[in-house]
């Protein structure tokens, strides 16, 4: 099958999911065309089955805002025609579903029917999409998609509650390629980061407000009062400077390392003992799943779809958003006893295996097959 994937190419869950899905589809013989404004960060290798088409938006002084949606829909029209694409899969409703629908309509004028699958990822619904400025357009483009998927049961519920949706929403969770992790636990080189007696606590995100970065620092502050520990903060974003200032203020700056964006997530998680994800909202929590497959238990909030991934008392603990004290107590409970930590680590990786790409890929393939039926129906 020839599949066009539209996604955000930068660091962030939806782009990672779209890219890893594209790679897995290509590995199983499909032809995958990424259409976005930059080569996706996790797409290191282009091969026979993977193509990248860059959307260019020429600067024009008259425009205060350059019309990306317009350029994207034009690029989609050209790509679909030139490469005889069978299905269009857009990740993140805004503005991709909107641009995808415009491309679909333009192609229809030329007698070409292209089914569109929209995958909802989280903030496109819970944060940005529900804003009154966007809501009518988001509702419209979800309803006009041929198939809609969401990454958790919770996000499906949220979408149905927040929008007037006429379409079915199919839940297909985030996934991980577990085969990549089988033999990676030999030497994690943890001595590069911490002394032998220190526990390593990690947070990875795009440092937006929704991640509650100050809570990460405050939880760590409590932990390090009880046991020797280091905090590794991975990512870039608007809340980073505030977090650095908070570490100074609390007198823990020497125990916190800000690494910036990294392509070495698995190496970092390999030497981590605990992952913190105290988010305000989180449709799934791919970062938690990536931690778990690397044998790292998770202390998180109990919001959104996180409880579908992190299991209370098994792979970590979950608390109400903002309950920093409870999160710190639970973290200490796991970290202070090496035998307990080992059990949580084992549980984390076992549970992460539920989300293996081998289980999830066929679900997307089935969706594409279903979408193709719409195409045949439309042609006859
Ligand atoms: O978490 C982010 O801020 C990035 C965001 C994105 O859209 O790139 O992630 C969302 O999609 C991920 C992949 O489906 C989910 O695992 C994340 O939970 C979700 N983030 C939020 O809902 C805040």
């Amino acid at each position: 099958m020839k599949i066009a994937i539209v996604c955000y190419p930068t660091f962030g869950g939806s782009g990672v999911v779209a890219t890893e899905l594209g790679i897995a589809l290509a590995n199983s013989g499909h032809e995958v065309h990424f259409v976005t404004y930059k080569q996706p960060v996790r797409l290191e290798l282009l091969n026979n089955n993977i193509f990248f088409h860059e959307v260019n938006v020429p600067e024009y002084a008259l425009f205060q805002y350059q019309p990306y949606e317009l350029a994207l829909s034009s690029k989609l029209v050209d790509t679909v025609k030139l490469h005889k694409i069978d299905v269009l899969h857009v990740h993140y409703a805004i503005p991709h579903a909107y641009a995808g629908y415009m491309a679909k309509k333009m192609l229809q004028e030329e007698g070409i029917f292209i089914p569109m699958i929209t995958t909802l990822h989280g903030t496109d619904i819970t944060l940005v999409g529900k804003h009154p400025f966007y809501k009518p357009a988001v509702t419209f483009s979800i309803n006009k998609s041929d198939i809609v998927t969401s990454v958790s049961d919770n996000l499906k519920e949220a979408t149905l509650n927040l929008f007037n949706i006429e379409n079915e929403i199919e839940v297909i969770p985030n996934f991980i390629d577990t085969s990549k992790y089988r033999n990676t636990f030999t030497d994690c080189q943890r001595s590069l980061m911490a002394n032998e007696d220190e526990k390593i606590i990690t947070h990875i995100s795009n440092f937006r407000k929704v991640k509650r970065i100050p809570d990460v620092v405050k939880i760590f502050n409590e932990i390090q009062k009880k046991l020797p520990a280091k905090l590794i903060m991975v990512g870039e974003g608007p809340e980073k400077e505030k977090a650095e200032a908070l570490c100074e203020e609390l007198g823990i700056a020497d125990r916190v390392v800000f690494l910036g964006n990294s392509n070495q997530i698995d190496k970092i998680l390999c030497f981590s003992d605990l992952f913190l994800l105290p988010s305000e909202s989180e449709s799934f929590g791919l970062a938690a799943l990536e931690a778990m497959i690397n044998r790292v238990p998770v202390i998180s909030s109990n919001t959104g779809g996180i409880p579908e991934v992190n299991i209370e008392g098994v792979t970590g603990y979950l608390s109400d958003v903002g309950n920093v004290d409870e999160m710190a107590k639970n973290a200490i409970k796991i970290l202070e006893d090496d035998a307990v930590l080992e059990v949580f680590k084992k549980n984390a990786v076992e549970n992460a295996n539920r989300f293996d790409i081998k289980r999830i890929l066929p679900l997307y393939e089935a969706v594409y097959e279903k979408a193709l039926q719409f195409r045949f129906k439309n042609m006859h």
Side-chain angles (χ1 to χ4, degrees), residues 70-88:
L70 214 66
L72 174 59
S73 50
S74 291
K75 191 76 184 177
L76 283 172
V77 168
D78 291 346
T79 308
V80 168
K81 277 164 48 181
L82 193 64
H83 297 279
K84 307 209 169 3
I85 300 295
D86 298 306
V87 291
L88 170 61

Side-chain angles (χ1 to χ4, degrees), residues 3 6 13 15 30 42 81 90 100 111 120 128 139 178 218 221 259 264 277 281 291 297 304 321 361 366 369 378:
I3 305 147
V6 178
H30 300 285
R42 290 223 184 161
K81 277 164 48 181
V90 303
L120 309 174
V128 196
T139 310
T178 61
K218 287 179 202 162
N221 186 36
L259 287 183
Q264 312 245 298
L277 191 66
S281 98
V321 172
L361 190 66
E369 288 295 343
N378 256 269

